[in-house]
Amino acid sequence: MKKLLMIALAFTIGNAVFAQEKMDKKMDKMDKMEMNHKMKDGAMMKDGKMMMMHDGKMMMMDKDMTMKNGTMVMMDGTVKMSDGTSKVMKDGEMMDMDGKMSMMKMDKMKKGKMAKMDKN
């Protein structure tokens, strides 16, 4: 009887550990997918410098870029929209390869932290 209880206990603990391991792997996979989703290819203004994101790597922008919708992003931060209008990118703004402009979430948080540090 003791052997049967020990086997049942070992089986239960073994399954619990195995199930936890699977969940950890799923979470890691979800984190990687979320990270890849955040890091879209495109051009962005960061700390007053034009940067580009390509294949998950951020680097200095070394040439003008033309987006899928015809919008052009220049190395100095000037954006010429496909309708002919122009604007200058501000710090934290990003344009993805489809030509959609957005704010970088990470930079907003960093700016807030830096402002708090400067006040102290």
Side-chain angles (χ1 to χ4, degrees):
M1 187 68 165
K2 285 183 182 179
K3 287 182 183 180
L4 186 58
L5 284 174
M6 292 301 281
I7 291 172
L9 181 63
F11 181 73
T12 304
I13 292 172
N15 281 337
V17 170
F18 184 70
Q20 183 64 41
E21 187 174 319
K22 280 185 179 180
M23 183 58 95
D24 288 344
K25 287 180 183 178
K26 285 181 184 178
M27 292 301 288
D28 287 343
K29 195 180 273 189
M30 287 172 56
D31 288 343
K32 286 178 185 175
M33 285 176 24
E34 186 176 299
M35 190 70 143
N36 288 338
H37 179 71
K38 288 180 186 175
M39 296 190 153
K40 283 186 169 182
D41 288 352
M44 64 203 74
M45 179 69 76
K46 183 173 180 180
D47 300 326
K49 298 176 185 169
M50 284 303 294
M51 306 293 285
M52 61 185 274
M53 181 70 74
H54 184 66
D55 293 332
K57 296 177 184 173
M58 189 179 299
M59 59 193 91
M60 293 289 296
M61 195 168 162
D62 59 354
K63 61 182 177 182
D64 296 345
M65 297 174 69
T66 303
M67 307 309 179
K68 290 179 184 176
N69 71 349
T71 300
M72 292 181 64
V73 180
M74 312 300 173
M75 289 176 50
D76 65 355
T78 305
V79 178
K80 290 186 181 177
M81 306 289 189
S82 54
D83 65 2
T85 59
S86 295
K87 76 170 262 171
V88 178
M89 289 180 77
K90 297 176 186 163
D91 216 31
E93 287 184 322
M94 175 181 181
M95 180 164 290
D96 65 17
M97 294 306 290
D98 293 327
K100 295 178 185 172
M101 184 77 75
S102 63
M103 289 295 292
M104 292 186 294
K105 293 178 184 175
M106 296 294 282
D107 277 8
K108 284 183 186 177
M109 293 185 340
K110 286 180 184 176
K111 285 181 188 175
K113 287 180 184 176
M114 293 302 285
K116 287 179 186 175
M117 289 173 61
D118 290 340
K119 289 179 184 177
N120 292 334

